[in-house]
Amino acid sequence: MNTAVIPTEQAPQKVKSYGRLDRQIILILDFGSQYSELIARRIRETQVYSEVVSYRTTAEQLRELDPKGIILSGGPNSVYDNYAPHCDPEIWNLGIPILGVCYGMQLMVNQLGGEVLKADRGEYGKSSLYIDDPTDLLTNVEDGTTMWMSHGDSVTKMPPGFELLAHTENTPCAAIADHTKKLYGVQFHPEVVHSLGGSALIRNFVYHICECEPTWTTAAFVEEAIREIRAKVGEKRVLLALSGGVDSSTLAFLMYKAIGDRLTCVFIDQGFMRKLEPERLLKLFKEQFHIPVEYVNARDRFLNALNGVTDPEEKRRRIGHEFIHEFEETSRRLGHFDYLAQGTLYPDVIESADTNADPQTGERVAVKIKSHHNVGGLPKDLRFKLVEPLRKLFKDEVRKVGRSIGLPEEIVQRHPFPGPGLAIRIIGEVTAERLNILRDADLIVRQEINQRGLYHDYWQTFAVLLPIKSVGVMGDQRTYAYPIVLRIVQSEDGMTADWARVPYDVLEAISNRIVNEVKGVNRVVYDITSKPPGTIEWE
């Protein structure tokens, strides 16, 4: 199924007038849930555009945006906390269908005259949902289906006009509705994969309640993106940061279709790429894609910039700065450029978000997880204007766009690779020795996975080098060498992930080859941490 997405600016500070294609939109008011962006992604899977905006977006701004529906996300707060985030109460009078999820449901109940209290017993994980009203929101949702719960508060009294739709063993009001006003609330998270009936519920809300049509397609995105690129860039020249991954390659193809020779692709070899990848990238773009690429060898510059640096945020910041400075020098050598094109994605933006605190009330919602070198790592004195057509897309959406505009499967199906490269897969200080060790180990991981036809079974497969040494024995001799951590995960969009249950014989083969073939390594371990609580990358 094609996924429909059109990049737009974030509300609420300035209300954007949507273009001619985006007549249907469902907005998610974000109250700090780790799943807010996942809700948007689930809506997009129905081929209806959705976007996450601040919970501070006013009713008047929402009216101007004219969404077909509104979803209130979950969040970490209790509605009765002093600094609990509240939405504009006038949204209940807009006449727009609203679905409250978890905290969003509790807020709806609280503001409309119901009661929410701390539950005698919280409910976390999988629960069976028993349906009291199988119509409307819960049409075709199987009675007793599994839904994912995560709450310590419960609705103890529904607001006037609301009816009970469903309950669980521990939650009397698991789903409620005011059918007349089209206001709905669910205590569970229908957007997560663990909620088996969640997709049906979301489709009911999108199609039946909000009366949306599945009109958004990848073709519509490409058409709109090209139109917006041309409108923004005009006759100016654009410099593109090419890495060879699916994001920057899709961006290069899209930009080239939009502005042709006014695009200059530059590959900055910062020395943190995987083994043989710079050579492969240049050959591919020159011989197969016929898009010219300017190659810049900056390995020494980047390595020197990280000398003695161990903090991961400082690594990302320095790498981001070096990228921009290198691009500025390259642009002066190649001529004047007004714009810098980047393959920034939605998860990059979300994970780089600073703590959102109101200076007067102390309200806090989103917390920065890590800076991405192309988001939080950019210098304030950046002289380029940015062009980021993929900024609102998830990884799977980028793959669909890339495939639709002719990107070969070799690139489309490539595993995600971080912008800072191996520099954030070496914990602690980055040195030439550690880079060479990690490059050799990482190559073995990829070779073994590829040879067994398992590459497409996993979201990412890679090696991490730890800055510690342990004792080992090789050939009756004592060794004191580094450990390599294997990180292999399965995911749909990178926002959440689970460690992969890789066959033991594959892990054994990888381990044996690494300790026998990579000098400086005597131990291999496997990371069995999901995201959350961990991240996919270690830094």
Side-chain angles (χ1 to χ4, degrees), residues 446-457:
R446 289 184 289 129
Q447 286 177 339
E448 291 297 323
I449 293 296
N450 285 332
Q451 288 170 5
R452 288 167 168 77
L454 298 174
Y455 185 83
H456 300 306
D457 291 351

Side-chain angles (χ1 to χ4, degrees), residues 78 80 115-122 124 151-156:
S78 294
Y80 46 76
E115 187 176 68
V116 177
L117 297 175
K118 184 174 180 59
D120 293 333
R121 180 180 176 185
Y124 303 94
H151 66 102
D153 297 334
S154 287
V155 174
T156 55

Side-chain angles (χ1 to χ4, degrees), residues 10 36 183 227 233-234 284 349 373 376 399 423 432 446 453 463 496:
Q10 183 89 345
S36 294
L183 304 178
R227 187 170 66 86
V233 172
L284 202 60
V349 176
H373 80 283
R399 296 190 199 280
R446 289 184 289 129
T496 60

Side-chain angles (χ1 to χ4, degrees), residues 126-153:
K126 298 177 182 179
S127 292
S128 296
L129 184 73
Y130 302 107
I131 298 175
D132 300 286
D133 181 354
T135 63
D136 218 3
L137 186 68
L138 299 181
T139 302
N140 297 324
V141 176
E142 184 179 350
D143 187 34
T145 189
T146 297
M147 292 294 187
W148 186 260
M149 292 283 188
S150 181
H151 66 102
D153 297 334

Side-chain angles (χ1 to χ4, degrees), residues 119-302:
D120 293 333
R121 180 180 176 185
E123 195 169 20
Y124 303 94
K126 298 177 182 179
S127 292
S128 296
L129 184 73
Y130 302 107
I131 298 175
D132 300 286
D133 181 354
T135 63
D136 218 3
L137 186 68
L138 299 181
T139 302
N140 297 324
V141 176
E142 184 179 350
D143 187 34
T145 189
T146 297
M147 292 294 187
W148 186 260
M149 292 283 188
S150 181
H151 66 102
D153 297 334
S154 287
V155 174
T156 55
K157 177 184 176 183
M158 290 187 291
F162 277 75
E163 302 173 17
L164 181 66
L165 299 184
H167 66 280
T168 70
E169 183 177 342
N170 295 322
T171 304
C173 296
I176 61 175
D178 183 329
H179 295 288
T180 303
K181 295 183 178 180
K182 292 191 174 182
L183 304 178
Y184 302 85
V186 294
Q187 188 58 75
F188 47 87
H189 287 276
E191 69 275 17
V192 303
V193 294
H194 307 294
S195 292
L196 302 184
S199 294
L201 185 151
I202 289 172
R203 288 194 299 271
N204 288 335
F205 182 71
V206 172
Y207 295 143
H208 176 60
I209 295 170
C210 297
E211 300 180 350
C212 292
E213 297 290 335
T215 57
W216 290 89
T217 64
T218 301
F221 164 75
V222 172
E223 177 188 343
E224 181 74 358
I226 289 175
R227 187 170 66 86
E228 290 188 353
I229 291 168
R230 289 171 177 168
K232 181 172 185 176
V233 172
E235 297 299 316
K236 303 293 179 62
R237 299 177 68 201
V238 179
L239 198 62
L240 188 148
L242 185 67
S243 70
V246 63
D247 305 336
S248 68
S249 297
T250 298
L251 179 65
F253 268 55
L254 192 62
M255 294 294 298
Y256 197 72
K257 287 176 75 71
I259 62 174
D261 292 339
R262 282 178 286 123
L263 172 70
T264 298
C265 294
V266 176
F267 171 57
I268 304 291
D269 185 354
Q270 87 286 52
F272 306 144
M273 296 289 285
R274 293 179 286 203
K275 197 164 188 174
L276 304 177
E277 286 206 335
E279 297 84 356
R280 180 196 63 84
L281 168 67
L282 294 173
K283 183 177 181 180
L284 202 60
F285 267 76
K286 179 181 179 180
E287 298 181 3
Q288 186 172 339
F289 304 161
H290 308 295
I291 298 178
V293 177
E294 183 76 16
Y295 174 77
V296 178
N297 187 338
R299 296 181 181 183
D300 291 340
R301 174 175 184 162
F302 277 82

